[in-house]
Amino acid sequence: TTGKKSVVLPSETKKELAKQAKVTKEERRAQIDERHKYLISRLADGIGLSEQQVEEAIISDDKFQLIEQFFAPTGLKKLLFFYQDVLQQRSNASLKSDGSMNSLLQKKLFITMGSTEDFTGACAFFLRTSDKVITASNVSQEVNFGIFDCTNGNILQGLEFFLSQIMIPALKSQQNWGAVKEGLKNSQIQDFLYSVDKFVDNLSSSSQNIEDKIQLTKVDIDIYLSNLQSPSDYITAG
């Protein structure tokens, strides 16, 4: 058969899988420490969920191990979360006439590598500033948090807002530029900020151009050309 069929698991198998999932979640919950709580707190504030909801989403995620890889010395440089509508299968769903299961769109917070799922909602990200091991005492200094909203997949507008309303004001108020003692007075720093401003302008222009685009429809011209015999036929086709 060429149709896609849903696999209906026996009730005993479902119970065993649910039992294993519960054990895994409780083991992960026991691993939660101050580092995880810091991430959970930032996510809850940024996305608008309760800390309990965020914790439940994290310990239920099949990519939970990426958090430990992020905390490890010389570990992952970034940790990404998407919060967006995903197709969820109803737990009490019944088979439809075509053999498929009832499903619906629901908001979900999940860990992602950022390269396999389509991005249509909000992206929350944590970035490391060094290769140090992330501990409970240094997590707030070594890890930066950010979020940008790309609801309905509008990435250009989301990125433009993030840069113009958050990053550029933060950069322009930055007092310490490391080895650059003059800070904002330095010509290279000024050139850098000018480039960022121009990039945001380009994002705005690109977004506007996309909104103003004209979508051309493909037309099948064979029906107009197949019966051309006389000059009047050509005029009518024109």
Side-chain angles (χ1 to χ4, degrees), residues 131-142:
D131 288 331
K132 298 178 183 177
V133 60
I134 303 301
T135 66
S137 59
N138 72 7
V139 62
S140 60
Q141 288 80 39
E142 296 296 331

Side-chain angles (χ1 to χ4, degrees), residues 109-122:
L109 175 68
F110 57 94
I111 305 170
T112 176
M113 294 298 291
S115 58
T116 54
E117 297 89 0
D118 290 336
F119 179 35
T120 60

